[in-house]
Amino acid sequence: MTAIATALAAVVGDERVVRGPVDAYVKDETETRLIVGSCAAVVEPRSTEEVAAVVRWAYEHEVPVVPRGGGTGYAGGAVPFAGSVVVSLAKLTAFRRFDPELWRAEVEAGVTTHLLQRRARENGLLYPPDPGAGEQSHIGGNIATNAGGPHAFKYGTTGAWITGIEAVVPPGEVITIGGAITKDVAGYDLKHVLIGSEGTLGVITCAWVRFIPAPEARHPVVGLFPSTATGVEAIEAMVGSGVAVAVLDYLDHGALAAAPPAFADGDVAERVGFALLCEADGTAVEARSVRAAAIAVVEECGGLAVAPLDASGVAAVWRWREGMTGAVTTVRGGKVSEDIVVPLDRLREAIDGTHAIGDAVGLPACSWGHAGDGNLHSTFLVDTSDPDQLRRAEAGAVALFDLAVELGGSLSGEHGLGLVKSGQLERFWAPRKLELHRGIKTLFDPKGLMNPGKKQ
Ligand code: LAC
Ligand code: ZN
């Protein structure tokens, strides 16, 4: 045990300090680009008061604190630096309240996204956000990153579903913002300051979540197109003609090469250069009508629509989409993947630009993501045993940020700044804007001990 671990055992009890190897607590999905951290101790508090005790101790002793949810992030936000304390929220798993008839719950930070979705579903409700890896990711981490997902197109990101937050902020105090209320304009919007703050302002310990009645039906529509041009035309036609799909995702030819749509006819799959994944939802009548409209748009734009209605066909479509990031990683063993976002009418340029950057750095490139939100997962495939490939991919990532900003977009649409985009804000933000950003950090965390090095 390190001296810090021993001291924390005295603060919150021996059994709250993780013994043995802590490898699982010092990394996230950025392991695919060889990012792994280290820490002095890992604690797993069982209550908000214990989290507060840890933060109090750390603040007094000037030890950095790295909050950790399910560890499924793509930006290195939960990767700790040597000497810090990892505060895992995995044991804060209570539903403090669940009021299905009022469409709301009060859940602790370590409740998994899937459990929250399931409890809602079992009660005829919907918790719409669907970031990937829901079995592993926690609601606390989802809030800390304002996680998105395919359904964000219609329903918004995690933050849109949070009406209140309980958090431990330096130097170790518990605050609550909002609650079981759906409107609150008293004071500045501190709730949305914490949402997406990536653990740099405090530790989110509990949240008030809202639901809506579950849609009666949901039907996927996949559009397979010969080219990016025809596919992007269909995206714009879908939006422009008011077809209110809940999901409007895409995969370019590079992504399709890694994960061909197994549910389409073999010949067709080989000729596909671009794919769209839509979902029609609502009452049974609405979902059928939006489905038909989406199919019509796909066909009018020269695509082939695959729109299964049977459970196994639907499952195959979602398996394909959810397996995308894994499939792309498998090609060369590693990847550097960013999540730039651009205005919808610049999507085509961002998709083509990703390939141009890949060519410039000499690496295979691809992108997929949330077309309707203009949010790309622009990716360079790397063999991680070759440091030069990794270096070129990181240079490609910086070029992607330039591209996004040039197109009127932003560095990150859904995964956050974390560690991997550290230093990028000052390349693009005006001095006064940066000063305000840093001022918020200093106000919450004057000693700079909350998840240092992230979101800056
Ligand atoms: C996705 C993850 C990478 O959309 O955000 O596939
Ligand atoms: Zn995504």
Side-chain angles (χ1 to χ4, degrees):
M1 287 243 282
T2 63
I4 289 176
T6 308
L8 284 166
V11 174
V12 279
D14 216 27
E15 63 296 345
R16 302 290 188 261
V17 179
V18 174
R19 302 279 172 170
V22 293
D23 305 11
Y25 297 86
V26 295
K27 58 191 180 187
D28 64 10
E29 289 293 328
T30 52
E31 204 184 358
T32 65
R33 57 207 276 181
L34 302 187
I35 298 175
V36 177
S38 68
C39 64
V42 179
V43 288
E44 291 201 311
R46 294 197 177 242
S47 66
T48 300
E49 291 64 38
E50 289 183 2
V51 174
V54 171
V55 172
R56 240 182 336 263
W57 179 90
Y59 230 71
E60 206 179 305
H61 295 85
E62 315 224 328
V63 173
V65 173
V66 182
R68 183 178 182 83
T72 58
Y74 285 102
V79 175
F81 291 113
S84 50
V85 179
V86 172
V87 179
S88 160
L89 281 308
K91 296 287 181 342
L92 258 67
T93 55
F95 274 68
R96 290 189 191 165
R97 282 191 72 98
F98 183 50
D99 301 318
E101 70 287 359
L102 292 168
W103 308 359
R104 70 182 193 205
E106 186 185 341
V107 295
E108 290 185 344
V111 168
T112 64
T113 317
H114 263 191
L115 182 61
L116 186 61
Q117 291 163 336
R118 203 181 74 217
R119 290 288 303 273
R121 197 165 53 238
E122 286 166 356
N123 287 275
L125 297 170
L126 176 72
Y127 173 68
D130 60 342
E135 294 286 1
Q136 205 187 323
S137 85
H138 299 171
I139 183 66
N142 292 170
I143 298 169
T145 53
N146 198 5
H151 287 84
F153 179 57
K154 177 170 177 179
Y155 295 106
T157 52
T158 300
W161 300 89
I162 305 304
T163 65
I165 288 175
E166 176 195 88
V168 173
V169 294
E173 280 173 47
V174 182
I175 57 166
T176 63
I177 302 165
I181 50 175
T182 52
K183 289 172 145 182
D184 184 9
V185 290
Y188 297 124
D189 195 346
L190 292 180
K191 186 184 71 181
H192 276 99
V193 171
L194 281 178
I195 291 171
S197 63
E198 301 182 35
T200 61
L201 305 179
V203 186
I204 293 165
T205 48
C206 188
W208 286 262
V209 177
R210 70 185 182 92
F211 308 110
I212 47 172
E216 197 182 347
R218 325 175 88 159
H219 306 304
V221 175
V222 176
L224 303 172
F225 297 88
S227 63
T228 305
T230 47
V232 171
E233 191 193 321
I235 293 165
E236 292 185 359
M238 200 78 75
V239 174
S241 57
V243 179
V245 287
V247 173
L248 186 49
D249 273 10
Y250 81 97
L251 294 90
D252 82 352
H253 58 91
L256 286 163
F263 48 84
D265 173 280
D267 287 353
V268 171
E270 268 170 36
R271 290 198 314 269
V272 179
F274 193 88
L276 276 190
L277 167 57
C278 314
E279 187 184 78
D281 73 355
T283 62
V285 172
E286 271 163 5
R288 283 290 180 143
S289 131
V290 172
R291 174 180 180 271
I295 292 172
V297 170
V298 166
E299 289 171 350
E300 277 155 25
C301 294
L304 174 80
V306 181
L309 288 166
D310 62 301
S312 75
V314 171
V317 168
W318 282 106
R319 228 181 5 257
W320 170 65
R321 171 61 184 92
E322 278 153 17
M324 192 53 52
T325 181
V328 165
T329 309
T330 310
V331 179
R332 282 196 163 184
K335 68 172 179 334
V336 168
S337 190
E338 297 298 350
D339 65 315
I340 55 171
V341 59
V342 298
L344 186 55
D345 52 326
R346 311 304 295 272
L347 182 64
R348 169 81 195 275
E349 290 161 271
I351 294 170
D352 291 344
T354 298
H355 286 277
I357 293 169
D359 290 346
V361 297
L363 292 171
C366 67
S367 77
W368 72 97
H370 315 296
D373 295 326
N375 186 189
L376 299 82
H377 298 310
S378 291
T379 302
F380 306 112
L381 308 184
V382 294
D383 170 353
T384 45
S385 67
D386 179 351
D388 189 54
Q389 284 191 24
L390 208 51
R391 191 190 51 71
R392 282 185 276 137
E394 299 290 354
V398 172
L400 279 176
F401 303 142
D402 291 325
L403 173 70
V405 173
E406 218 173 276
L407 296 175
S410 169
L411 310 173
S412 177
E414 82 173 351
H415 297 160
L417 249 55
L419 186 61
V420 301
K421 299 182 190 81
S422 167
Q424 293 298 323
L425 283 189
E426 58 199 37
R427 294 183 59 225
F428 302 105
W429 281 24
R432 181 66 182 135
K433 190 170 156 188
L434 262 183
E435 191 178 65
L436 292 169
H437 183 82
R438 290 176 179 158
I440 289 171
K441 167 71 174 170
T442 311
L443 184 64
F444 272 83
D445 177 21
K447 291 187 177 179
L449 295 173
M450 299 305 301
N451 209 6
K454 318 290 169 57
K455 207 160 187 84
Q456 61 176 30

